Amino acid sequence: MTFTAHDQQSAILVDEAALRFHLKTPSTSYVMGVVNGGWLAHLYWGRAVRRWNESAPVRYADRGFSGNTDKNDRTFSLDTAPLEYPSYGSTDFRDPAFHFRWEDGASVSEFRYKGYEVKQGRRTLEGLPHVYTEQEAEAETLTIQLYDELKQVSLYLDYVVFPDYDALTRSVRVVNEGDEAFTVEKLTSANVDFRSGDWELLSLYGAHNRERDVERGPIRHGSTVLESRRGASSHQLNPFFALVSPDTTETQGDVYGFSFVYSGSWRGAVEVDQFSTSRVQLGLGTLDFSWEVTPGSSFQTPEVVMVYSSAGLGPMSRTYHRLYNERLIRGSWKGKERPILINNWEATYFDFDEQKLLAIADEAADAGIELFVLDDGWFGRRNDDTTSLGDWYPDTKKLPNGLKGAAEKITSKGLRFGLWMEPEMVSADSELYRSHPDWCLHVPGRRRSESRNQLVLDYGNPDVRNYIIDKLTTVLEESPVSYVKWDMNRNMTEASSRLLPAHRQKETAHRYMLGVYEVMETITTRFPEILFESCAGGGGRFDPGMLYYMPQAWTSDNTDAVSRTRIHYGTSLVYPPSAMGSHVSAVPNHQVGRITPLQTRGHMAMDMNLGYELDPTTFTAEEKAEVSRQTARYKELRPLMQFGELYRLESPYEGESYAVLRTNADKSEAVFLYMHRLADANAPFIRVRLDGLDPDADYRVVDLDQTFGGDELMYTGLDIPMITSDFQSFLWKLEKIT
Ligand code: DGJ
């Protein structure tokens, strides 16, 4: 084959004559081609190959019960070909990538290859979060046009290749060039027809307080669907999964990661068919979703970030971390060290006044904490969770000097001031709801189901968005706020908008999400110096969509050090440590009742973005000294903890221990963290093999005052002291000897 259209340095190689498209990054090749007179086939995705010469072409055979698009060729069926963006209703019986309902009610479509375009850089996805470039040269985009002659509708498949980041993204745009409106019922962002079915599926399921638990198992014939139908990316399943070869570990195996840059309902699916090929899809949720595309208009999907690793899960995660840290997270906090915070939620819940806050702030400042966050309960008449969401003005009973007065007193102690808000919600008992009962999602005549006593504002409504933007702007302009925790504490029910006509009701949930993104874009642009942390009852919306607007997220409401081993491990599969909030809280722990040592709680919180969520006015002298030691240590290690390259060493899913190592870019420094859950009597000795070091260099383990070779530490391992009690942990710094 001759790939002539683009030079060999290009990330996108095209063979014009054979119509083959070869996308290339250092680790991976992704190849498509036009087969049998117009169908776009998927040919390969995997380890990078220098040249595509079709050593394994698509093979055809006459297969029973798989109809033919050309009656003279019984060997070709869409049902048996590996397709790039398969359609419904004309011989492919597998899960279609898209589903349109035409004006006549039929859903059959026939999209054939029409053309392609290669461009330097990438197109911005207006109104949608996406991986961006800082310079055009960082990315190349291949757009392939598929066309339905009868309906005059085009599908544009966008492939953005980021060679330096070893990743590619995919999204789809449907454009109505005809003269009849139609309805999109499904439009997946990425579809990959793998030519084998010998995979395991790894996904992150969970619940409130138990987010992103790793689950892995063989896929079976038939479909496996992973989805959220909640109007949020959800605690229950994160919008990420990977197909892995059965031998996959942290350091070996074929891994294909799919991560969806979206915060609302989503759907992922893997279907293994009769010939054991597997079709993988990821995109917008399909239940109660549709979108009308009128003549001359278009619809754009969010994007999926696809990462391949031939060397296991570790490299996949580090690729996502670097890409998300550098080309998803934006603004003045991108790459910048995050402050150590104290949050008053678990210290006081709703029961506080200015004096109490100032007492907490005094102790916090003394202990080396840098930011004070005032959580829920500072506004309206909010003494519990039954009231006042929407009434964004300070409760002067609790804060007699207003928010401004309290904030100024706190900042005068040398702390920054941060504030909690939940701008997408309204309490039934609120002034806002009493004056605008129609501003929440609801179906006339039906019950408005409450969850945590609250309703969801209709962010598809511009009046709602403008009202919220005004209120937030006032609050943030009036007080010296340098951090905002943007919370969201329920999922959608009665997802219906009063602004939409009957046939567009199913657009409500996606319009809501677009509205949220618009408000977030406005507020974060208006207040560029504020550090925003997204939250949804902990990690109910921990997704790349949110990270585009808010560089960190509250990982989980569960602050227990043991639970956190699993949560950190699972979350770190995709999301960078810089994005994860992690707090030391009081014992017995408020979520699980467990008592763990303060040192271990400190270590597990330092694993990500360190914060405290307890009442420091109750500290003993010893506790106060320990917390001061922790904040001092964290400040020293912070660049590594937040932005170092992460190597997972011991999985809490496999045994009692959790161990990770971070290195800086030139591997001259590293930090090793080890946490052991339950101790055992007369237990075997423990040795952990490190990873990510320079094998040719020597390293001093500073805390042990011992020196070892990098090779020795990685191939032989590092001894862990005898574990003599539950929940012991160690945090050791390593320095390369020069
Ligand atoms: C849920 C959050 O996850 C908590 O941290 C806290 O902010 C509460 N909401 C406040 O209502």
Side-chain angles (χ1 to χ4, degrees):
M1 303 223 151
T2 344
F3 287 85
T4 49
H6 298 274
D7 67 64
Q8 290 300 314
Q9 297 313 308
S10 173
I12 298 173
L13 306 168
V14 180
D15 180 328
E16 290 267 5
L19 285 178
R20 295 290 184 269
F21 306 91
H22 182 177
L23 315 181
K24 252 180 138 173
T25 74
S27 302
T28 190
S29 285
Y30 186 103
V31 187
M32 296 160 267
V34 178
V35 298
N36 270 42
W39 303 103
L40 186 65
H42 176 76
L43 300 177
Y44 175 72
W45 183 25
R47 196 164 177 164
V49 294
R50 280 175 293 124
R51 281 180 299 120
W52 180 255
N53 229 352
E54 220 124 299
S55 60
V58 180
R59 296 173 65 184
Y60 308 104
D62 183 351
R63 307 282 200 179
F65 290 87
S66 295
N68 314 110
T69 51
D70 172 356
K71 68 178 178 162
N72 299 317
D73 180 3
R74 284 187 46 154
T75 68
F76 184 77
S77 171
L78 295 177
D79 200 30
T80 58
L83 298 170
E84 194 56 27
Y85 205 68
S87 55
Y88 169 76
S90 53
T91 78
D92 190 349
F93 296 98
R94 295 168 293 174
D95 202 358
F98 62 97
H99 199 250
F100 300 156
R101 195 162 26 81
W102 307 108
E103 228 169 33
D104 62 7
S107 295
V108 179
S109 48
E110 183 149 321
F111 281 85
R112 301 220 189 193
Y113 172 82
K114 182 150 185 208
Y116 81 95
E117 187 182 57
V118 174
K119 274 197 168 158
Q120 196 67 49
R122 73 155 304 161
R123 203 167 51 84
T124 325
L125 299 187
E126 240 13 272
L128 282 170
H130 58 276
V131 176
Y132 59 88
T133 53
E134 288 197 336
Q135 275 156 12
E136 279 230 318
E138 287 174 4
E140 281 176 59
T141 303
L142 167 70
T143 303
I144 293 192
Q145 183 187 8
L146 306 180
Y147 191 63
D148 186 297
E149 283 287 342
L150 183 67
K151 299 293 177 183
Q152 297 171 308
V153 171
S154 288
L155 282 167
Y156 291 94
L157 314 183
D158 269 350
Y159 300 79
V160 189
V161 190
F162 295 84
D164 294 345
Y165 287 95
D166 234 346
L168 63 106
T169 72
R170 283 184 63 178
S171 68
V172 176
R173 205 166 9 122
V174 59
V175 180
N176 188 347
E177 293 144 16
D179 49 19
E180 67 175 63
F182 65 95
T183 306
V184 173
E185 292 182 334
K186 177 180 182 183
L187 194 64
T188 248
S189 297
N191 180 96
V192 182
D193 278 8
F194 289 90
R195 287 205 255 163
S196 93
D198 190 17
W199 304 110
E200 292 187 356
L201 178 63
L202 182 155
S203 56
L204 302 174
Y205 83 104
H208 177 227
N209 279 330
R210 193 161 40 76
E211 293 91 338
R212 291 170 298 284
D213 229 53
V214 181
E215 191 165 42
R216 176 172 160 183
I219 47 173
R220 304 165 40 150
H221 288 90
S223 293
T224 305
V225 174
L226 305 167
E227 65 184 334
S228 162
R229 307 174 208 98
R230 295 170 172 266
S233 51
S234 92
H235 299 86
Q236 287 70 16
L237 272 171
N238 194 262
F240 160 83
F241 58 84
L243 232 54
V244 304
S245 54
D247 61 339
T248 294
T249 64
E250 281 296 308
T251 52
Q252 67 165 49
D254 279 316
V255 176
Y256 298 84
F258 296 81
S259 167
F260 194 32
V261 189
Y262 188 64
S263 314
S265 295
W266 60 276
R267 179 181 188 272
V270 183
E271 180 178 7
V272 183
D273 75 355
Q274 54 185 331
F275 303 113
S276 298
T277 71
S278 12
R279 173 168 290 176
V280 175
Q281 295 175 354
L282 182 54
L284 289 171
T286 50
L287 182 74
D288 205 12
F289 165 79
S290 72
W291 199 274
E292 190 192 25
V293 186
T294 50
S297 74
S298 63
F299 179 73
Q300 167 72 54
T301 71
E303 73 182 0
V304 170
V305 181
M306 293 162 52
V307 170
Y308 166 77
S309 154
S310 62
L313 293 164
M316 176 202 72
S317 299
R318 288 187 290 279
T319 298
Y320 276 119
H321 294 176
R322 195 164 80 86
L323 182 69
Y324 286 177
N325 264 329
E326 296 178 13
R327 293 295 181 267
L328 178 69
I329 287 169
R330 302 174 298 164
S332 59
W333 284 92
K334 166 182 168 169
K336 192 149 121 196
E337 289 178 37
R338 312 292 160 73
I340 303 173
L341 64 80
I342 185 152
N343 178 307
N344 74 309
W345 179 242
E346 286 197 13
T348 64
Y349 294 104
F350 295 100
D351 184 18
F352 61 83
D353 55 19
E354 188 187 273
Q355 244 182 338
K356 178 71 196 171
L357 300 181
L358 295 179
I360 294 177
D362 272 332
E363 293 299 324
D366 257 13
I369 291 168
E370 300 158 318
L371 162 71
F372 178 95
V373 180
L374 174 53
D375 210 278
D376 196 353
W378 59 267
F379 53 92
R381 296 175 291 105
R382 190 153 163 101
N383 297 316
D384 53 35
D385 63 17
T386 61
T387 164
S388 300
L389 292 172
D391 299 342
W392 298 113
Y393 54 83
D395 175 355
T396 44
K397 281 207 186 101
K398 289 179 186 168
L399 305 173
N401 304 301
L403 192 59
K404 184 164 185 267
E408 280 173 354
K409 286 186 191 157
I410 287 170
T411 50
S412 73
K413 296 176 193 300
L415 292 165
R416 299 179 199 205
F417 180 72
L419 194 63
W420 177 97
M421 297 186 94
E422 193 175 356
E424 296 161 60
M425 298 291 152
V426 64
S427 306
D429 180 8
S430 67
E431 288 165 25
L432 178 61
Y433 188 68
R434 279 185 283 276
S435 32
H436 296 287
D438 267 11
W439 276 11
C440 68
L441 298 177
H442 69 281
V443 178
R446 292 205 182 273
R447 183 192 61 246
R448 302 176 180 199
S449 306
E450 294 185 19
S451 180
R452 207 192 189 207
N453 305 300
Q454 61 198 56
L455 297 160
V456 182
L457 287 172
D458 180 4
Y459 263 54
N461 179 345
D463 293 341
V464 171
R465 297 199 295 273
N466 291 336
Y467 174 88
I468 292 295
I469 289 171
D470 273 3
K471 292 292 162 204
L472 296 196
T473 302
T474 307
V475 171
L476 300 180
E477 270 173 355
E478 278 178 7
S479 304
V481 177
S482 55
Y483 161 105
V484 168
K485 177 174 173 188
W486 179 301
D487 206 350
M488 194 287 284
N489 281 300
R490 63 159 292 178
N491 291 138
M492 270 180 205
T493 55
E494 296 89 31
S496 168
S497 170
R498 288 312 84 225
L499 291 185
L500 297 171
H503 71 287
R504 301 197 88 149
Q505 280 298 316
K506 289 183 172 189
E507 298 178 12
T508 302
H510 184 54
R511 285 186 183 276
Y512 172 91
M513 219 50 251
L514 296 177
V516 168
Y517 288 150
E518 188 186 305
V519 173
M520 288 185 169
E521 179 73 30
T522 308
I523 292 293
T524 54
T525 311
R526 203 168 276 182
F527 298 95
E529 298 310 321
I530 291 183
L531 171 60
F532 286 87
E533 175 158 347
S534 77
C535 173
R541 223 168 40 179
F542 201 131
D543 59 64
M546 280 293 133
L547 289 181
Y548 182 72
Y549 302 95
M550 312 204 159
Q552 61 187 58
W554 179 222
T555 312
S556 174
D557 274 347
N558 186 345
T559 49
D560 171 61
V562 171
S563 305
R564 281 287 179 139
T565 58
R566 294 168 74 98
I567 294 171
H568 287 187
Y569 197 94
T571 309
S572 78
L573 278 168
V574 210
Y575 304 104
S578 74
M580 294 187 222
S582 185
H583 299 173
V584 175
S585 59
V587 287
N589 175 270
H590 292 194
Q591 291 77 41
V592 297
R594 189 176 285 124
I595 298 178
T596 52
L598 182 53
Q599 189 194 55
T600 304
R601 280 176 276 150
H603 285 165
M604 280 313 297
M606 285 190 226
D607 189 25
M608 303 298 166
N609 283 346
L610 174 64
Y612 291 81
E613 192 164 329
L614 38 63
D615 184 353
T617 65
T618 64
F619 279 165
T620 61
E622 208 180 307
E623 286 169 336
K624 193 168 172 176
E626 168 61 21
V627 169
S628 301
R629 272 197 299 276
Q630 289 176 5
T631 58
R633 188 87 209 271
Y634 191 70
K635 286 174 193 169
E636 175 210 340
L637 302 177
R638 178 158 45 190
L640 273 167
M641 301 317 277
Q642 295 182 354
F643 295 103
E645 287 183 10
L646 185 78
Y647 292 82
R648 288 178 295 262
L649 307 172
E650 295 277 310
S651 165
Y653 293 87
E654 287 163 12
E656 284 303 312
S657 53
Y658 169 82
V660 286
L661 180 121
R662 268 107 165 153
T663 64
N664 59 357
D666 67 6
K667 303 196 180 295
S668 60
E669 290 184 353
V671 184
F672 170 71
L673 170 66
Y674 180 90
M675 145 72 161
H676 200 95
R677 294 187 302 209
L678 295 186
D680 206 356
N682 208 8
F685 294 121
I686 300 169
R687 193 162 39 111
V688 178
R689 284 197 198 162
L690 309 192
D691 193 5
L693 300 174
D694 174 357
D696 299 324
D698 285 340
Y699 288 88
R700 183 164 156 258
V701 186
V702 181
D703 304 78
L704 304 179
D705 195 16
Q706 284 181 301
T707 297
F708 307 101
D711 49 358
E712 206 183 345
L713 289 168
M714 292 196 290
Y715 313 150
T716 306
L718 184 59
D719 265 341
I720 302 299
M722 282 295 279
I723 299 296
T724 50
S725 59
D726 291 346
F727 320 127
Q728 264 180 275
S729 65
F730 307 95
L731 185 70
W732 295 335
K733 170 109 193 266
L734 281 76
E735 284 172 359
K736 188 170 173 173
I737 310 278
T738 45

